[in-house]
Amino acid sequence: MIQEVLQSNQNIFLIALLLVSSVLVTKFSSRLGVPSLVLFIIVGMVVGSDGLSIIYFNNAELAQLIGVMSLVIILFEGGMQTKWGAMRKVLAPSITLATLGVLLTSSMVALLAKFILDVSWLEAFLVGSIVGSTDAAAVFAVLKGKNIRNKLGATLEAESGTNDPMAVFLTITFIQLLTEDSSSILGTIMLFFWQMGAGAVVGLLLGYISSFSLNRINLDSSGLYPLFAIAFALLSYSISSLVQASGLLAVYITAVVIGNSELAYRYSILRFNEGFGWMAQILMFVILGLFVFPSEVFTADIMWKGILISLILMFLARPIAVYISLVFFRYTNKEKVLLSWSGLRGAVPIVLSIFPMLAGVENSQLIFNIVFFIVLTSALIQGSTITWLAEKLSLVSDKLSNPIHSLELISIGKANVEIIEFDVSVNNLIVGEKLEDIDLPDKALINAIIRDGDIITPYGQTAIQAGDTLYVTVSRRVKKQVQELLKEVKGEVIE
């Protein structure tokens, strides 16, 4: 009994060290210009059986479960941050990239992987299917805080959030073709449309139900609302999966609906999701790092084959797929170049590469090792140069307006009152205006201004300056009206 307790305490200590080290490496990732997911994977490999041998982990079922659960959390957090106003304008090209683009990319990679890896045609198309989609976790992480033009950022986020179903569908299809004697082509095509359509319907329904519930159900503690929202994300995934629809697509759509609805506890939910999303990323990539055996991946045979397929993916397959998919949409050559280079691979391909292992596919270990090396190459080369390329192509822009955050007041939460936090941009119309001249509704009051690190007590003659942070106490009834007033920029309203 004492030995078991001691072992449990040691495991808790080890988890704490892993979490601390993983959080600290995020500081170095920004300085080194390397995506944090790479450093998380390295942490896992270092403490794994081929590194310091602190943890031995080779449970494919557990790795797949943790990977899928983490993807649900990450997709939900990314979808909550997606602005429907921007996404709506690029929905058609994003869906085209998420379907036709993935199919073209997978096919081109498969045609060349057949000869590079010396595997069967079905196994080659399985490899192409696994690496065919961009990864939401990687794209959200790289684009966060970057000033890439709204159109391109929205396209990449929408594509990465909706292309996982296509990759999952293709991967499972080729696994079935490899492991089953017969498979109906018509049935397979019908299944794809069912997965996409049913997943979208479930996502929309759960999105509206969860938004209604979050606003109407009065919970005893404001801390329960973020948990309530996460519960709906898991519910959306599980219901979709139970009816053989796309759970990941359903989660993303649910998150977009919730994120673009008026929420009573938006700030608490967003902040919780951000922290939980980081936790999911750390857990997922560390586990994937533990699961891989570097002595098997970093061999001469795997490395040269992985590099060759990576180059084909980055410089041939993805660009061709982007140019063909966007032929009927208005994107400049520079924009297509950046979209081509932004096809990051991350957790989804690694998680999908575990599926062949679970299904007992003959060359599953080779497939996993190759996919893992491709993901590392993509993250290191593409992930660290996206911002640089965007600047070289002059595809970065200044923010016109900063987002509005709502700070829920726990002490008066029952009174339907919130505090809006708003960072004033140089482009906002309220810059230079005196408080007494701003036409705020009766149920709104600017009660604090942060300027150059100091707090200013506002009064009627106080003039708003660019860079100010305003704290506005507002009734939820007039919240939208106040938001529109604050966000006015040079004759337009920023959504």
Side-chain angles (χ1 to χ4, degrees), residues 88-129:
R88 179 176 53 197
K89 300 174 183 177
V90 298
L91 195 59
S94 298
I95 291 178
T96 305
L97 285 171
T99 51
L100 177 62
V102 172
L103 184 61
L104 291 172
T105 302
S106 300
S107 300
M108 284 182 278
V109 170
L111 290 174
L112 295 170
K114 166 71 173 72
F115 304 102
I116 296 173
L117 300 179
D118 191 24
V119 293
S120 67
W121 278 111
L122 287 178
E123 289 171 334
F125 274 94
L126 178 58
V127 173
S129 301

Side-chain angles (χ1 to χ4, degrees), residues 435-447:
L435 296 187
E436 62 185 14
D437 297 328
I438 299 176
D439 189 22
L440 285 173
D442 292 337
K443 300 294 184 179
L445 175 66
I446 298 177
N447 51 18

Side-chain angles (χ1 to χ4, degrees), residues 103-327:
L103 184 61
L104 291 172
T105 302
S106 300
S107 300
M108 284 182 278
V109 170
L111 290 174
L112 295 170
K114 166 71 173 72
F115 304 102
I116 296 173
L117 300 179
D118 191 24
V119 293
S120 67
W121 278 111
L122 287 178
E123 289 171 334
F125 274 94
L126 178 58
V127 173
S129 301
I130 291 172
V131 300
S133 68
T134 59
D135 182 66
V139 171
F140 290 154
V142 170
L143 294 184
K144 186 173 290 185
K146 303 297 189 298
N147 280 354
I148 293 175
R149 284 185 185 174
N150 289 339
K151 177 184 177 182
L152 295 177
T155 302
L156 288 170
E157 289 183 4
E159 178 201 1
S160 63
T162 57
N163 68 4
D164 292 339
M166 187 66 173
V168 173
F169 167 76
L170 291 173
T171 299
I172 293 176
T173 297
F174 284 107
I175 289 176
Q176 289 176 339
L177 291 173
L178 282 164
T179 56
E180 298 178 6
D181 294 333
S182 62
S183 181
S184 169
I185 296 178
L186 179 60
T188 300
I189 295 174
M190 294 299 293
L191 178 61
F192 169 72
F193 285 105
W194 167 257
Q195 287 183 340
M196 296 291 284
V201 170
V202 172
L204 286 171
L205 286 176
L206 265 295
Y208 287 119
I209 291 172
S210 54
S211 299
F212 179 85
S213 302
L214 288 166
N215 283 321
R216 294 302 180 91
I217 297 178
N218 194 4
L219 300 175
D220 293 334
S221 171
S222 61
L224 292 174
Y225 287 91
L227 294 177
F228 202 29
I230 288 293
F232 280 109
L234 297 174
L235 192 62
S236 180
Y237 177 83
S238 57
I239 290 177
S240 299
S241 299
L242 288 174
V243 298
Q244 297 187 350
S246 174
L248 295 179
L249 178 63
V251 169
Y252 184 70
I253 292 176
T254 297
V256 172
V257 173
I258 297 174
N260 288 274
S261 302
E262 284 294 328
L263 294 179
Y265 289 89
R266 173 181 297 276
Y267 185 81
S268 297
I269 293 172
L270 290 178
R271 288 297 157 264
F272 177 86
N273 284 347
E274 185 176 11
F276 203 22
W278 274 109
M279 186 78 173
Q281 284 194 58
I282 292 171
L283 176 63
M284 176 173 59
F285 289 117
V286 170
I287 288 294
L288 294 176
L290 288 171
F291 187 70
V292 71
F293 287 80
S295 60
E296 297 178 1
V297 173
F298 297 103
T299 62
D301 184 59
I302 294 293
M303 289 176 67
W304 83 260
K305 290 178 180 177
I307 290 174
L308 189 54
I309 295 176
S310 295
L311 294 176
I312 291 169
L313 182 60
M314 288 187 286
F315 293 100
L316 183 65
R318 169 71 179 180
I320 291 175
V322 168
Y323 271 80
I324 292 177
S325 300
L326 299 180
V327 67

